Amino acid sequence: MFNKLTAMPADPILGLLTKYREDNHTQKVDLGVGVYKDESGHTPILTCVKKAEKYRLDTESTKVYIGPTGSADFNRLMSELAFGAENRAILANRVRTVSTPGGTGALRVAADFIKRCNPNSVLWVSDPTWANHTGLFEAAGITVKTYPYYDYDTKSLKFAEMKAALSEIGSDDVVLLHACCHNPSGMDLNQQQWDEVIELTAEQGFTPLIDMAYQGFGEGVDEDAYGVRKMAATVNNMILCSSCSKNFGLYRERIGACSIIGKDAAASDVAFSVLLYVVRCIYSMPPAHGAAIVETILGSNELKQEWLDELTVMRDRINGNRAMLVNKLKEIGVTSNFDFITEQKGMFSFLGITPEQVAQLQSEYSVYMVDSSRISIAGIGTGNVDYLAKSIAKVL
Ligand SMILES: Cc1ncc(COP(=O)(O)O)c(C=O)c1O
């Protein structure tokens, strides 16, 4: 049976990582993998996470099944973090949340849920979007199409084209928006643009699916949720997929959440029963450990403050790296304008160089990034920025 299979192409980012690891160059730079790294290139466990894990180890009393919703406390605290405790949708008891295996699990649950809402729904994603979005939704049998988003020439948003495309989308379809720190472009909607998109969403009646994988990595926990909160307070139906991988540094624990909002509490109950059925058919129940860590942190004023402080350190480092690279390029006399990098947000930006220049950076200077020239900003540091900027200057 297996001999009928043809091999799938390897994940380009993992392939890049293997090459990077095998490279003996003493000044090699990894700008491929999308995880936070500190100045020494390490992805640390947050101190608040260590404390929450210790508390869990001391107090956990059973490993019995947790049920398809996961932990009720985690779900409530995550909804409040995302939507704001005073959000109209929360106060009207319209939000229903399940814990999921990471943000990817949340998206897969959302995909199967959409398929059950309307098997003919088209999912519209930004051009470009996170590489996994298309495969994930297509795997659930959903047709995926794109709306214009990032302008590679001007390094800015194609906002007029995006709005024009959204105003053609009808109420049967779903539009995926990135809450903040757009992956891969780093180009976010500003508040006025969110207002316009939310107005369009309400007018057109399509369902917004917001993917929030980086809450707190852009401008702040509340600032990054502006669009999510206003959308939830405005429209009848909405889906939110969140991840705790980056902002809690819980990557391998696989914890995230999927929330749905119906037009009233009764409609939300019906939709939730379908969501739970979807969960049971995929993985039955989510893992508990990551959720327990997050709920311990968010449920304690002291640990929550510690988390917010540690998150600020990560965010400031990323924003600082953006400025550091741009300033260094200027300092060594690069005349091309890279200021857009400081205006973008989150883990990624496109450097805006050709695939040939990307290949040259790799083969001649051991600087690793994906072909699209998307760079993972956390891979920059005071120890490599000089070498990195000079290498970029040489291939320009
Ligand atoms: C836009 C976006 N959505 C979702 C995810 C999935 O996150 P997780 O690792 O929690 O599955 C990522 C991870 O990189 C992402 O960039």
Side-chain angles (χ1 to χ4, degrees):
M1 170 130 166
F2 296 172
N3 55 11
K4 292 189 184 133
L5 294 173
T6 48
M8 296 293 286
D11 182 320
I13 295 181
L14 296 183
L16 204 65
L17 190 62
T18 311
K19 276 194 185 164
Y20 172 80
R21 285 190 179 137
E22 287 166 0
D23 189 331
N24 293 323
H25 195 296
T26 51
Q27 288 182 294
K28 63 183 177 178
V29 183
D30 173 22
L31 303 178
V33 175
V35 297
Y36 176 80
K37 291 179 196 166
D38 63 18
E39 183 61 31
S40 64
H42 181 59
T43 303
I45 302 177
L46 302 186
T47 308
C48 60
V49 165
K50 277 285 186 200
K51 288 184 183 170
E53 277 186 314
K54 181 168 180 346
Y55 172 79
R56 175 167 167 78
L57 203 65
D58 294 344
T59 57
E60 187 184 30
S61 63
T62 180
K63 296 282 187 195
V64 77
Y65 287 126
I66 195 161
T69 50
S71 157
D73 282 344
F74 169 84
N75 294 341
R76 176 180 52 79
L77 290 161
M78 281 295 284
S79 302
E80 290 174 2
L81 184 70
F83 298 111
E86 299 300 312
N87 195 294
R88 205 181 298 164
I90 289 194
L91 297 179
N93 187 25
R94 292 168 49 216
V95 180
R96 303 287 179 275
T97 301
V98 290
S99 325
T100 55
T104 307
L107 287 162
R108 179 57 206 239
V109 166
D112 278 18
F113 174 75
I114 293 165
K115 189 73 183 168
R116 283 180 186 272
C117 291
N118 179 358
N120 300 318
S121 278
V122 171
L123 177 87
W124 295 84
V125 297
S126 58
D127 176 20
T129 194
W130 180 44
N132 228 6
H133 278 148
T134 306
L136 251 164
F137 283 87
E138 285 179 350
I142 292 176
T143 303
V144 178
K145 294 186 181 174
T146 60
Y147 58 83
Y149 191 78
Y150 186 68
D151 189 328
Y152 293 89
D153 295 327
T154 61
K155 276 93 177 162
S156 61
L157 210 59
K158 286 183 176 168
F159 191 60
E161 290 100 313
M162 173 183 175
K163 271 180 58 180
L166 296 188
S167 50
E168 299 284 311
I169 298 174
S171 59
D172 284 345
D173 288 353
V174 179
V175 173
L176 191 154
L177 299 156
H178 296 228
C180 58
C181 307
H182 185 270
N183 180 3
S185 73
M187 196 72 232
D188 286 345
L189 298 172
N190 63 32
Q191 293 197 351
Q192 197 200 321
Q193 289 165 334
W194 266 115
D195 292 348
E196 290 180 42
V197 167
I198 291 165
E199 204 180 306
L200 249 177
T201 308
E203 263 166 37
Q204 294 299 113
F206 54 75
T207 300
L209 188 172
I210 307 188
D211 183 3
M212 183 152 66
Y214 302 93
Q215 186 178 8
F217 264 53
E219 294 177 22
V221 165
D222 295 323
E223 294 86 340
D224 291 352
Y226 176 84
V228 167
R229 292 176 182 182
K230 188 151 185 191
M231 186 72 89
T234 309
V235 299
N236 284 335
N237 288 172
M238 170 174 165
I239 305 171
L240 175 71
C241 297
S242 3
S243 164
C244 305
S245 299
K246 312 285 159 51
N247 54 2
F248 286 87
L250 287 173
Y251 308 87
R252 65 171 63 171
E253 296 301 348
R254 310 309 300 135
I255 182 65
C258 179
S259 300
I260 51 169
I261 299 179
K263 76 174 178 5
D264 53 35
S268 297
D269 281 338
V270 174
F272 196 50
S273 71
V274 175
L275 195 72
L276 294 184
Y277 183 72
V278 162
V279 167
R280 282 204 303 276
C281 295
I282 312 178
Y283 53 80
S284 186
M285 298 172 200
H289 187 70
I293 294 167
V294 172
E295 82 185 45
T296 304
I297 293 170
L298 294 181
S300 143
N301 287 339
E302 203 180 309
L303 283 180
K304 183 171 180 189
Q305 190 52 53
E306 203 166 328
W307 171 62
L308 289 170
D309 293 344
E310 293 190 89
L311 187 56
T312 302
V313 169
M314 293 195 281
R315 177 174 61 249
D316 287 353
R317 184 176 135 71
I318 290 171
N319 289 331
N321 283 356
R322 289 179 172 276
M324 188 163 66
L325 176 61
V326 173
N327 290 339
K328 186 57 80 177
L329 287 164
K330 280 185 191 157
E331 195 184 302
I332 62 169
V334 170
T335 50
S336 317
N337 187 358
F338 285 97
D339 285 344
F340 64 91
I341 292 178
T342 50
E343 285 145 28
Q344 296 171 347
K345 292 276 168 331
M347 301 277 284
F348 307 106
S349 277
F350 288 116
L351 208 48
I353 59 174
T354 64
E356 292 74 29
Q357 289 168 320
V358 170
Q360 196 186 349
L361 271 174
Q362 187 178 315
S363 61
E364 291 179 26
Y365 303 99
S366 297
V367 173
Y368 289 78
M369 66 188 72
V370 283
D371 289 350
S372 62
S373 85
R374 186 196 80 161
I375 53 171
S376 179
I377 304 289
I380 304 168
T382 50
N384 66 18
V385 69
D386 197 55
Y387 175 75
L388 173 63
K390 284 179 182 155
S391 306
I392 294 171
K394 288 200 188 111
V395 304
L396 282 178

